[in-house]
Amino acid sequence: MSQKILLSAKEIEIILHRLACQLIENHQNFEETVLIGIQPRGIFLAERIQQILQNEYKIPEVKTGRLDITFYRDDFRRSEKPLEANKTKIDFLVEDKRVVFIDDVLYTGRSIRSALTAIQSFGRPKEIELLTLIDRRFSRHLPIQPDYNGRQVDAINEEKVKVNWVENAGEDCVYLVNK
C-alpha cells in the first residue's frame, strides 16, 4: 500500500479560510443558516469552519450540529458486520433555515442522499447546500454535486482518499492511498 500527500496542513488551512469566505459571501450573518457536520468525519470540518467564522471573521453565533446517517443508509442491512451509530446533536430548529451539510469527502453521493432523508426528522429546511473538503469527481452514483468544495480529486480504480484531522489522527493531511 502506498500513499501520496494531496494536501498538507498549510494547504488545508488555506482551503478552510477560502471555504469560510465563500460561506460568508452567501450567508452574511448566519442568522438563518445552520451548519450540519455529517458523522463521523464531517464533524471535524464543520467545527473548524465554525471556529474560523466566529474567531477570525467575528460572526457572533454560528449554529453547528452533527447528523448521524447510519440508519438512513441504503446499505444499512447489507453489511456483514453490524454498523455502529454515532451521535446526532442538533439542538436548534432547521425548519425554514438554510442548512449547509458539511462532509470531508464526496464520493458516490450516497451519504448525502442519506443525510437529505435524515434531516427531515428535524424539520423542513428552506434550502440545503453541500460543502466538502474533497470532491472525488467521476465516482458519483447519484446526481449530487457540492456547492462549495476545497479540492477536486480524480481518484481511479482502487485509490482511496484519506482525510486525517488533528482531532482524530493527530495531523491535518489528505492522502491518496493506493491499495
Side-chain angles (χ1 to χ4, degrees):
M1 179 174 84
S2 65
Q3 61 184 22
K4 171 185 161 191
I5 294 177
L6 289 177
L7 295 174
S8 67
K10 182 66 175 168
E11 291 169 314
I12 291 172
E13 186 67 22
I14 291 167
I15 287 171
L16 294 180
H17 279 34
R18 177 173 49 81
L19 292 170
C21 288
Q22 290 173 342
L23 285 171
I24 292 168
E25 287 176 11
N26 291 330
H27 297 271
Q28 279 94 38
N29 59 16
F30 288 80
E31 287 178 3
E32 297 299 316
T33 302
V34 298
L35 307 179
I36 305 286
I38 307 297
Q39 286 276 28
R41 293 172 313 276
I43 63 170
F44 304 119
L45 179 55
E47 289 169 358
R48 292 279 189 91
I49 296 284
Q50 177 193 34
Q51 290 169 3
I52 290 169
L53 292 170
Q54 290 179 332
N55 299 336
E56 298 187 32
Y57 295 103
K58 307 302 180 206
I59 296 173
E61 185 180 342
V62 180
K63 293 182 179 140
T64 306
R66 301 172 171 207
L67 182 63
D68 178 55
I69 59 167
T70 303
F71 300 115
Y72 295 91
R73 295 178 57 91
D74 58 4
D75 61 354
F76 169 62
R77 298 199 193 300
R78 294 178 181 204
S79 180
E80 292 179 13
K81 61 179 183 169
L83 295 175
E84 291 185 30
N86 294 291
K87 291 190 187 268
T88 291
K89 182 180 181 248
I90 298 177
D91 54 2
F92 45 81
L93 296 175
V94 300
E95 188 75 30
D96 290 325
K97 297 290 186 199
R98 297 175 72 193
V99 172
V100 180
F101 282 148
I102 299 180
D103 207 358
D104 61 345
V105 178
L106 176 58
Y107 182 34
T108 63
R110 292 183 184 281
S111 293
I112 303 307
R113 191 225 36 94
S114 300
L116 289 166
T117 303
I119 198 68
Q120 299 302 313
S121 301
F122 297 91
R124 184 177 182 203
K126 178 179 184 178
E127 166 183 319
I128 298 176
E129 294 179 326
L130 175 59
L131 180 149
T132 61
L133 180 64
I134 302 292
D135 174 13
R136 284 189 62 169
R137 300 184 312 168
F138 314 129
S139 302
R140 224 63 92 235
H141 296 175
L142 301 170
I144 293 174
Q145 300 299 322
D147 298 284
Y148 313 93
N149 80 55
R151 174 77 52 91
Q152 288 185 328
V153 174
D154 298 334
I156 57 171
N157 301 329
E158 298 300 313
E159 292 177 328
K160 179 181 178 187
V161 175
K162 179 181 173 190
V163 179
N164 286 348
W165 296 104
V166 167
E167 295 86 344
N168 73 336
E171 69 171 345
D172 285 343
C173 198
V174 178
Y175 295 99
L176 183 63
V177 180
N178 198 345
K179 295 180 182 180

